[in-house]
Amino acid sequence: MRNAPTILHLDMDAFYASVEQASKPSLRGKAVIVGGLGPRGVVATASYEARVFGVHSAMPMAQARRLAPNAAYLVPRFGIYRDISEQVMALLRELSPLVEPLSLDEAFVDLEAGGAAWDDSSARLVGAKLRGDIRAATGLAGSVGLAASKMLAKIASEQAKPDGLVLIEPGTERAMLGPMSVRTLPGVGPATGDHLRRAGIHTVEEIAEAGEDELVRLLGKAHGHALYAMALAHDERPVVAERETKSVSVEDTYDVDIHDRVRVGLEVQRLADRCVRRLRGAGLSGRTIVLKVRRYDFSTLTRSETLRGPTDDPAVVREAAARLLESVDTTGGVRLLGVGVSGLADYTQEDLFAQAAGELGEQQPVEGGADGAEAVAVARGEEGPSERRWLAGHDVRHAEYGHGWVQGSGLGRVTVRFETPGSTEPGRVRTFRVEDPGLEAVEPLPLVEERPGGGGGSRGAAGSRGAAGSGGSATSGASEGAVVGGVGGV
């Protein structure tokens, strides 16, 4: 561990919910909960106003509704979250070549490697300036922790929340950690915490006092040694600039169990196409196709098939996923499906079989054309692509009233609040028929207006993906919102 607090940990405060509040003036200062809105959805992020009621990420959405019935419940807009994340990560990379992203809203930075900081005062100045730069570029708040190791920097950023900065001075680590709960240390979850508590160990200092041998006896060799080192504030892990992607996958949790085998097959095909889009977007290909099926009784089955060479061909992935599905019994019902690709490479291996399959697959566009959307809609008993569904929180534009966002929809009606990030007061609310020709799904507006010369604006947000596809047909977009229920949120 170094002798200066030059490891920085940035954590954007309640990121998804904060983006929604910044986008929607009527929600500022209000309880906002982002996640899957179906019966099996989970909370991805809750604003600090919602956390007062006990709502937290990974909580079942049904429980959140009981705790905070008057909160605003919104479907995630991953496009704008990714774009804003890219802006924030770009600011971090200006500080150092060693930036280790952990998620869209969290990262470590080695300030010493970039020559940005070398002691307490320089590190504190860098942290303060970074918070200001992030607010100027995105309008959002981030909490910063500064310490001599990754573990301590992350603990510091937790103490700094919300919208603050905490620096742990070298030499004070043991005193600071001592009275904290054992759950403060990385890797100590509910099960390990309960195990330690039954042994009479409640604080970090008590872990250190118990000694390494006792921890090994209680937790096993690997975990015991690691936990004892952390209790002594020892953490030698370096900031790693590039984290190798091991797999690419997508999955959906369904509000109602799927019993129809044809429907299950169509869902697997749709997931395979989404997985390939993500694979191609990362410039990757893969050799191993993985199918995940969670059945009605919560039992989860995983099947995989390894190809002769890496591929990013949608038809090849679809066919492999279909073959894997043949070996799974789904008669009792399916609550979750997932398709993934592992064994990743940055090239593809062309072969005649893949090419032949590709010719057949041209009838099913990877980017989600109307034919594919209609097939899924028919399997679900919907009216097909002409029926538009509107996701709560997503962006729309009306020919007469301008830009707004969906407050809710049902019974053939959609309610829209017309306001923009720059509105000075909450916008007016109007209700339309779901098929109103004047209403269309659009891309989000920037959170911060571009300044002359291009500085300080949310340049990425304006180019992010829309609510339900650029054409306004939300049949395929509506299913995207259900993904959060399976992912568990960020």
Side-chain angles (χ1 to χ4, degrees):
M1 191 167 68
R2 60 191 73 191
N3 59 8
T6 54
I7 299 295
L8 181 148
H9 181 260
L10 171 71
D11 199 345
M12 300 295 291
D13 298 333
F15 184 49
Y16 294 178
S18 294
V19 171
E20 300 304 337
Q21 289 177 319
S23 297
K24 304 169 173 65
S26 58
L27 298 185
R28 293 169 190 170
K30 306 288 181 61
V32 174
I33 299 171
V34 181
L37 302 190
R40 291 174 179 167
V42 298
V43 175
T45 307
S47 69
Y48 285 97
E49 295 85 355
R51 296 180 191 188
V52 171
F53 298 99
V55 180
H56 57 78
S57 62
M59 172 182 284
M61 190 61 76
Q63 182 181 354
R65 289 186 184 276
R66 290 193 294 270
L67 293 172
N70 297 319
Y73 289 85
L74 308 176
V75 175
R77 298 184 298 159
F78 289 112
I80 190 171
Y81 305 152
R82 281 192 295 267
D83 291 336
I84 294 173
S85 174
E86 288 173 4
Q87 288 182 268
V88 173
M89 296 302 165
L91 290 173
L92 297 183
R93 292 187 179 96
E94 291 178 3
L95 300 176
S96 172
L98 292 184
V99 175
E100 182 178 341
L102 304 180
S103 62
L104 290 178
D105 60 344
E106 186 180 3
F108 287 110
V109 185
D110 187 331
L111 298 178
E112 188 175 35
W118 49 90
D119 59 12
D120 293 12
S121 58
S122 60
R124 191 182 296 276
L125 287 173
V126 169
K129 182 178 184 302
L130 173 65
R131 293 179 58 234
D133 290 345
I134 290 173
R135 187 177 293 278
T138 69
L140 303 177
S143 293
V144 168
L146 293 155
S149 70
K150 290 168 69 172
M151 178 189 78
L152 293 168
K154 183 171 176 60
I155 291 172
S157 70
E158 286 296 320
Q159 292 183 317
K161 285 180 171 292
D163 193 17
L165 183 154
V166 167
L167 183 149
I168 300 175
E169 297 181 1
T172 67
E173 297 94 347
R174 288 286 302 276
M176 182 271 297
L177 282 175
M180 291 185 172
S181 165
V182 295
R183 291 290 303 277
T184 303
L185 299 179
V188 181
T192 301
D194 288 343
H195 196 52
L196 291 171
R197 189 163 49 252
R198 287 193 294 270
I201 299 173
H202 301 84
T203 66
V204 175
E205 182 60 32
E206 288 171 345
I207 290 177
E209 291 173 350
E212 191 168 15
D213 292 342
E214 176 65 6
L215 290 172
V216 169
R217 187 186 69 80
L218 288 171
L219 304 175
K221 188 174 182 179
H223 201 181
H225 286 313
L227 196 59
Y228 182 69
M230 288 189 290
L232 298 179
H234 295 163
D235 179 18
E236 301 296 336
R237 295 173 301 158
V239 175
V240 180
E242 295 296 333
R243 307 184 65 174
E244 181 181 358
T245 302
K246 296 183 178 179
S247 65
V248 173
S249 63
V250 296
E251 62 183 42
D252 274 359
T253 296
Y254 302 96
D255 295 344
V256 179
D257 289 348
I258 305 175
H259 293 83
D260 183 355
R261 183 74 176 187
V262 174
R263 162 83 187 281
V264 172
L266 286 169
E267 290 292 320
V268 168
Q269 300 295 291
R270 183 178 62 83
L271 289 167
D273 283 350
R274 280 176 50 201
C275 184
V276 169
R277 290 202 298 272
R278 185 170 295 181
L279 194 70
R280 287 181 168 181
L284 297 170
S285 61
R287 295 186 63 217
T288 301
I289 314 303
V290 181
L291 175 70
K292 177 180 176 182
V293 179
R294 181 166 297 151
R295 299 189 292 190
Y296 69 99
D297 58 358
F298 287 88
S299 62
T300 302
L301 303 177
T302 303
R303 300 286 186 268
S304 64
E305 175 182 320
T306 299
L307 308 174
R308 289 178 295 175
T311 185
D312 65 352
D313 188 302
V316 173
V317 177
R318 281 197 299 264
E319 290 182 359
R323 286 193 297 271
L324 295 170
L325 180 62
E326 292 174 0
S327 65
V328 179
D329 180 10
T330 62
T331 52
V334 171
R335 60 184 290 122
L336 177 146
L337 291 168
V339 174
V341 178
S342 60
L344 301 181
D346 56 2
Y347 66 94
T348 61
Q349 178 172 311
E350 301 292 344
D351 61 57
L352 294 178
F353 293 99
Q355 291 173 7
E359 292 174 2
L360 179 63
E362 287 176 359
Q363 300 173 18
Q364 301 181 45
V366 179
E367 296 302 322
D371 292 343
E374 185 172 9
V376 173
V378 170
R380 291 176 173 174
E382 298 172 356
E383 296 179 15
S386 61
E387 180 191 3
R388 295 191 292 174
R389 294 175 58 196
W390 304 97
L391 303 184
H394 282 224
D395 298 80
V396 295
R397 174 173 292 279
H398 192 272
E400 181 178 353
Y401 301 106
H403 190 96
W405 58 277
V406 176
Q407 281 200 325
S409 63
L411 301 177
R413 295 287 186 269
V414 54
T415 300
V416 177
R417 184 180 289 274
F418 290 97
E419 59 186 4
T420 68
S423 299
T424 56
E425 58 185 28
R428 300 184 64 181
V429 176
R430 295 188 179 275
T431 298
F432 308 91
R433 292 176 292 109
V434 293
E435 66 275 14
D436 189 313
L439 193 65
E440 63 175 343
V442 296
E443 297 177 351
L445 296 175
L447 300 187
V448 177
E449 291 184 7
E450 286 278 4
R451 298 194 183 113
S458 184
R459 53 174 175 76
S464 60
R465 272 62 61 191
S470 59
S473 175
T475 305
S476 60
S479 64
E480 297 283 319
V483 177
V484 179
V487 173
V490 177

